[in-house]
Each structure stands twice: as C-alpha cells, then as structure tokens.
C-alpha cells in the first residue's frame, strides 16, 4: 500500500540553526500538510499546500517556517533559527483532494530535538 | 473554529471486550468530516475510520465502527473484540469544507487505551 515517507526519523539540531524536514507524499495525492505534536500534547495543524502554494496555515506557522515542493516528489518544511520549543514530532500528511471527506494519510514523523 | 473534546485521558479494557472511545465536536459548519487515528507507542499516525456529516449510516471498518450522533455532536469510536495490539493513543479529528483552501485537521487530546490480557 502506498505510504507517506519522512526523513530523517530523528533530527538533533543546535538552537539557532536551520533545519529541513523532508517528506515524499503518496504519488497521486495533490494536497500536502505539515503537523506538529509536542511531546504529550495533541497534534496541531501547521500548513496545507496545493498547486505549489500554501493553501491554509495556522497561527503557529509564522515567518520562522516555510514549505516548498522543490521537485515532483519531495515536500519540505524549513524551520529557521530553531528554538527549544520547536522540539516536537513533525508529521507530513497527504490527501487526494482538499475536501473533508478525504482522509489524510500520515508519515511516520520526524522527531526534532533542539539542544 | 472547530473543537474536538475527548474526555477519557486513559482507559483499561480486558482483551476481547468491546470498547467505546468518546468524542464530541463543535462546529458551525454544515459540511465536515470526522476521523479517528491510532498512534501506537512507535509514534506513527494510522487512519482508522471516517464519517461524513451527511452520511446517514454509521461508518464501519472491520472491528472499528463509528457511533455518529449528529444532534448530540458526538462521534464515538467502537472497537469490537479488543486485542493486545489495540493498545495505543486514539485521536478523534475533524475537518470542515471551508469552501476555500484545504483546511487542516483539528485534533482532540487523545485517549490512551491499554488492553489487558
């Protein structure tokens, strides 16, 4: 069964550094998403992406964050000037359409640790 | 804005028993979808089941069923004949059709289910 793949599975970064998290969505999916889950807390929506541009974003997704689809398969989340509170599990997801009747399929996540 | 409430932070259930995980939601939108995801201790998020706001029948997927009561704004997950492998965090989530972009899912805080032998 097709799946969303995320790399790396674990990223350790010094505070203040930039980090890029990578995702390969399911091949026939058109909508892509990033979510964040701080340890022990609920999953929070960051951003959705369609047709090479941001579709929706939450208040968490400020100027520190950016997303890009650099080629036909990868979807990336860049976090600049990382802070301790950016430590979390980051999930990429994709769906066929943007409608509410389509499930979003998640990758296994990247655990980001900021030191 | 949407809100998902899961009132059971943790549950212990005997193996082979049925279990119901509660979920209530709040939205002013008429068109929305409700989802349940399973998160094992390994951390991945696994889609289990979907219910649309206009669906008249309760959704079923194998041992999973969704008890959808629209007037009460509840979407409880029922797992029949629980197994040890069902031990995990379970998240209820919803998404609305805003008519514009692709909205993200709004998640509840989750229920930690432990199946005991």
């Amino acid at each position: 069964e097709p799946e969303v793949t995320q790399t790396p599975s674990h990223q350790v970064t010094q505070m203040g550094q930039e980090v890029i998290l990578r995702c390969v969505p399911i091949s026939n999916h058109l909508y892509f998403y990033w979510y964040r889950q701080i340890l022990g807390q609920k999953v929070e929506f960051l951003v959705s992406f369609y047709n090479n541009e941001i579709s929706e974003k939450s208040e968490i997704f400020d100027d520190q964050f950016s997303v890009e689809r650099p080629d036909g398969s990868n979807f990336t989340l860049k976090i600049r000037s990382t802070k301790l509170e950016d430590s979390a599990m980051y999930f990429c997801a994709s769906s066929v359409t943007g409608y509410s009747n389509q499930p979003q399929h998640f990758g296994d996540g990247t655990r980001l640790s900021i030191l | 804005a949407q809100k998902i409430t899961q009132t059971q932070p943790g549950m212990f259930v005997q193996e082979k028993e049925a279990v119901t995980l509660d979920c209530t939601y709040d939205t002013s939108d008429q068109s929305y979808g409700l989802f349940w995801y399973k998160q094992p201790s390994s951390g991945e998020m696994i889609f289990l089941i979907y219910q649309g706001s206009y669906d008249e029948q309760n959704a079923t997927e194998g041992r999973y069923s969704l008890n959808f009561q629209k007037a009460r704004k509840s979407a409880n997950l029922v797992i029949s004949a629980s197994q040890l492998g069902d031990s995990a965090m379970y998240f209820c989530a919803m998404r609305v059709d805003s008519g514009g972009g692709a909205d993200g899912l709004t998640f509840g805080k989750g229920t930690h289910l432990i199946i005991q032998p």
Side-chain angles (χ1 to χ4, degrees), chain B residues 5-82:
Chain B
T5 302
Q6 294 181 254
T7 58
Q8 306 152 310
M11 287 186 71
F12 288 88
V13 174
Q14 288 295 119
E15 189 180 9
K16 300 181 184 177
E17 288 184 352
V19 57
T20 297
L21 305 181
D22 295 341
C23 172
T24 58
Y25 62 91
D26 189 25
T27 181
S28 56
D29 290 90
Q30 298 301 308
S31 179
Y32 52 87
L34 296 157
F35 304 84
W36 277 92
Y37 285 85
K38 173 183 179 181
Q39 186 177 41
S41 58
S42 48
E44 69 269 29
M45 294 286 288
I46 303 167
F47 165 69
L48 294 178
I49 195 167
Y50 156 80
Q51 179 83 43
S53 59
Y54 295 115
D55 293 344
E56 295 185 354
Q57 302 269 6
N58 285 340
T60 61
E61 286 286 348
R63 293 187 299 112
Y64 304 109
S65 60
L66 201 152
N67 184 359
F68 180 48
Q69 298 186 45
K70 193 170 182 177
R72 297 180 60 187
K73 293 190 173 180
S74 75
N76 298 339
L77 177 70
V78 180
I79 306 174
S80 63
S82 57

Side-chain angles (χ1 to χ4, degrees), chain A residues 31 33 35 37 41-45 48 55-56 89 91 95 97-108, chain B residues 31-35 37 39 42-45 47 50 91 95-98 100-105 107-109:
Chain A
Y31 290 78
Y33 313 83
Y35 290 84
Q37 185 182 30
Q41 299 187 23
K42 65 179 179 180
V43 180
E44 301 173 292
F45 168 68
S48 60
S55 182
E56 297 285 342
M89 180 77 94
F91 290 102
S95 63
T97 74
Y99 291 112
S100 66
N101 65 348
Q102 289 293 316
Q104 295 176 21
H105 295 271
F106 283 70
D108 288 350
Chain B
S31 179
Y32 52 87
L34 296 157
F35 304 84
Y37 285 85
Q39 186 177 41
S42 48
E44 69 269 29
M45 294 286 288
F47 165 69
Y50 156 80
F91 291 97
R95 185 183 185 191
V96 301
D97 286 318
S98 63
D103 285 25
L105 291 163
F107 282 83
K109 292 185 176 181

Side-chain angles (χ1 to χ4, degrees), chain A residues 4-30:
Chain A
V4 176
T5 57
Q6 290 186 243
T7 55
S9 56
H10 192 190
Q11 174 81 44
V12 181
T13 301
Q14 290 289 331
M15 186 172 59
Q17 296 296 306
E18 175 182 286
V19 64
I20 297 176
L21 309 182
R22 303 180 191 278
C23 168
V24 178
I26 295 173
S27 61
N28 65 329
H29 286 189
L30 301 178

Side-chain angles (χ1 to χ4, degrees), chain A residues 44-82:
Chain A
E44 301 173 292
F45 168 68
L46 293 178
V47 65
S48 60
F49 191 87
Y50 169 70
N51 200 25
N52 282 319
E53 60 183 29
I54 289 174
S55 182
E56 297 285 342
K57 61 181 181 179
S58 71
E59 60 273 13
I60 302 170
F61 193 86
D62 59 20
D63 292 343
Q64 187 191 6
F65 297 90
S66 62
V67 289
E68 190 179 32
R69 187 158 166 83
D71 53 44
S73 59
N74 288 285
F75 178 51
T76 62
L77 174 68
K78 182 188 292 185
I79 309 174
R80 289 178 283 273
S81 301
T82 51

